[in-house]
Amino acid sequence: MSTATTQGGPQLPQERRLVTEIPGPRSRELLARKQSAVPPGIGTTLPVFVTHAGGGVAVDVDGNSLIDFGSGIAVTSVGNSAPRVVERVRRQVGDFTHTCFMVTPYESYVAVCERLNELTPGDHAKRSFLVNSGAEAVENAVKVARHATGRPAVVVFDHGYHGRTLLTMTLTAKNMPYKDGFGPFAPEVYRAPLAYPFRWPTGPENCAEEAAAQAIDMIEKQIGAEHVAAVVIEPIAGEGGFIVPARGFLPRIAEFCRANGIVFIADEVQTGFARTGDLFACEDEGVVPDIICTAKGIAGGLPLAAVTGRADLLDSVHVSGLGGTYGGNPLACEAALGVLETIEQDKLVDRARHIEEVMLPRLRALRERYDIVGDVRGRGAMIAVELVRPGTREPLPAGPVAARCHAEGLIVLTAGTYGNVLRFLPPLVIPDHLLEEGLSIVERAIAAASTV
Ligand SMILES: *Cc1c(COP(=O)(O)O)cnc(C)c1O
């Protein structure tokens, strides 16, 4: 049996190639099987079944090669089957697959935590521990904050997304599809306004100051700052529609937290690991979180997430108060080390900035040409277009525009509280010609939607 050849990864031909309609006949067969084996609660954005992926493409069972503007929701930032990840995971899978780090530990877990403590914002003493998913990271960060402060309340923001477990679904803002019918929810969760420049009632100029004042007023009047354990915020709201909070908002909230003994938790699950043109999105405004939650881009697709934070907070929890069977699985830890090497050695932070420089001007030009393009925003390789009904701010559903892109062989995702945002999360290793070709598909889809 040969194990030497891989067909995915960067060696995959970097081209868009459609040989059937999308989805093709073999994907449609598999979709029928999926529909009888998997509940509809597990949705499907684009029903092509993938056999290989790498660089900026994914290849399906019918032989179509699609351009990837999704990275499996900001996960494969280093590309699918990135060589340094594959090599490390291959070696590890032959050595051992699991011991449980809490039973008999191994070096790679510690090495990942050391790297996170070095690389995350702030030069204070830090600790990290590893779990399996973004939701689990956020949930654990809240556990730590409550334990360290002895306070119950947690403050989150409009348009926030933090996961699907009971606590993180409660922290999430949007009812459908995340919360509808899944209550009752966890107690002691309070929601504050987010500085959303495009939709701020008095305009983007006043947005940061007014939103921060409203959030702080809400905390002081409705909860009492001394009862708040933590504020949890995404530095750029992901599922909420790639909302970049107006400049000044995040530092003001962080400063209020510091002054009141509230743990400032940055949920960088989607924004982390070079995605936004910084290693972490908080760096853009020099915000230093007390705790930072990471996942998605951390391990190139292997399930891993981390909680990194001030040593005094994390050390406040008693022995064995944190953990989980699989947290920091050795394959995932090796993958994470491979991801961090790749980001550094291939200068992927710079690549993310380059992607922004290619995408933003072309998308901003669309805003001039088509009045359904209300807003174009984002940083690095986390860029979005918010669609509106012409001449208004009323949301225009992004689904039909995404569907046109899918039919042309471009994987794009939608987002937004109002479902009217097209979001782009290309792998940072996508070649320029695919980036440009994908943008041309988006342009055609928006042009077509403008004439109906
Ligand atoms: C995806 C996401 C989560 C949840 O991560 P899972 O791994 O799906 O549990 C939490 N926060 C943010 C900002 C996310 O984008």
Side-chain angles (χ1 to χ4, degrees):
M1 191 174 70
S2 162
T3 53
T5 54
T6 54
Q7 292 151 354
Q11 54 273 68
L12 209 54
Q14 295 297 299
E15 58 176 10
R16 180 176 69 113
R17 185 184 68 240
L18 296 188
V19 297
T20 69
E21 60 189 335
I22 301 292
R26 298 191 59 199
S27 279
R28 286 203 302 271
E29 266 173 49
L30 287 165
L31 188 63
R33 278 174 57 195
K34 179 206 169 217
Q35 281 161 351
S36 52
V38 180
I42 305 294
T44 304
T45 301
L46 204 186
V48 300
F49 282 70
V50 170
T51 59
H52 298 86
V57 299
V59 173
D60 74 10
V61 285
D62 291 289
N64 299 298
S65 176
L66 290 82
I67 299 175
D68 183 9
F69 273 15
S71 301
I73 321 188
V75 169
T76 52
S77 300
V78 297
N80 253 290
S81 301
R84 295 179 189 84
V85 172
V86 169
E87 197 192 312
R88 282 177 166 276
V89 171
R90 251 203 195 124
R91 205 181 320 128
Q92 181 62 45
V93 79
D95 289 349
F96 64 94
T97 48
H98 174 83
T99 63
C100 187
F101 186 76
M102 304 181 301
V103 177
T104 49
Y106 38 89
E107 182 178 348
S108 58
Y109 183 118
V110 179
V112 170
C113 293
E114 287 169 347
R115 298 293 283 135
L116 290 170
N117 296 345
E118 278 162 36
L119 294 169
T120 50
D123 48 18
H124 50 285
K126 290 178 215 155
R127 305 277 188 262
S128 290
F129 65 97
L130 305 178
V131 290
N132 302 295
S133 70
E136 213 186 329
V138 173
E139 185 131 2
N140 273 283
V142 171
K143 280 171 65 175
V144 169
R146 282 181 167 154
H147 196 276
T149 60
R151 302 172 177 185
V154 181
V155 173
V156 287
F157 292 84
D158 286 337
H159 313 288
Y161 180 85
H162 302 289
R164 294 178 184 262
T165 60
L166 175 60
L167 178 62
T168 58
M169 152 178 88
T170 307
L171 302 179
T172 292
K174 191 177 176 178
N175 176 53
M176 191 58 104
Y178 305 120
K179 305 169 82 162
D180 197 69
F182 296 138
F185 302 108
E188 289 298 331
V189 173
Y190 301 86
R191 194 169 307 283
L194 178 70
Y196 186 169
F198 180 66
R199 294 191 175 275
W200 195 253
T202 58
E205 307 74 36
N206 309 314
C207 178
E209 209 175 298
E210 290 181 10
Q214 288 180 19
I216 290 167
D217 188 64
M218 188 282 272
I219 292 171
E220 289 179 331
K221 299 297 173 315
Q222 296 181 29
I223 320 170
E226 70 278 17
H227 301 302
V228 178
V231 161
V232 184
I233 189 164
E234 302 163 81
I236 298 179
E239 303 303 301
F242 287 15
I243 302 162
V244 183
R247 278 195 94 70
F249 179 76
L250 287 173
R252 179 73 193 95
I253 298 293
E255 176 191 296
F256 174 79
C257 288
R258 199 170 317 112
N260 289 277
I262 298 170
V263 179
F264 182 91
I265 300 174
D267 178 349
E268 291 239 20
V269 168
Q270 191 156 162
T271 49
F273 299 103
R275 175 55 53 189
T276 63
D278 287 296
L279 200 50
F280 298 99
C282 276
E283 294 169 38
D284 184 64
E285 290 192 85
V287 170
V288 177
D290 297 310
I291 297 182
I292 176 165
C293 299
T294 54
K296 292 198 165 99
I298 191 175
L302 276 84
L304 189 71
V307 178
T308 300
R310 274 166 41 199
D312 61 311
L313 296 175
L314 271 71
D315 288 351
S316 79
V317 177
H318 46 272
V319 170
S320 299
L322 302 168
T325 306
Y326 292 114
N329 168 274
L331 302 176
C333 287
E334 288 295 336
L337 295 171
V339 162
L340 292 171
E341 285 164 8
T342 305
I343 289 173
E344 257 165 37
Q345 290 167 21
D346 295 351
K347 300 190 167 45
L348 294 186
V349 170
D350 295 341
R351 260 311 281 178
R353 291 187 180 210
H354 170 76
I355 289 170
E356 174 183 327
E357 281 162 20
V358 172
M359 294 191 92
L360 273 186
R362 282 190 67 179
L363 294 169
R364 285 197 171 130
L366 293 180
R367 192 178 50 191
E368 307 309 314
R369 283 220 303 281
Y370 302 108
D371 49 13
I372 64 167
V373 178
D375 195 23
V376 174
R377 57 180 178 248
R379 289 206 303 268
M382 185 171 183
I383 304 285
V385 170
E386 176 160 356
L387 302 177
V388 292
R389 298 194 189 279
T392 74
R393 264 167 217 231
E394 234 181 276
L396 179 76
V401 181
R404 284 177 196 273
C405 294
H406 298 164
E408 284 207 56
L410 176 68
I411 301 171
V412 291
L413 311 175
T414 60
T417 298
Y418 313 104
N420 65 328
V421 175
L422 280 173
R423 58 165 157 172
F424 310 119
L425 292 161
L428 305 180
V429 296
I430 191 172
D432 277 3
H433 74 275
L434 290 182
L435 198 56
E436 300 280 5
E437 194 179 348
L439 285 167
S440 298
I441 293 171
V442 171
E443 282 170 8
R444 289 198 291 275
I446 286 176
S450 299
T451 58
V452 295

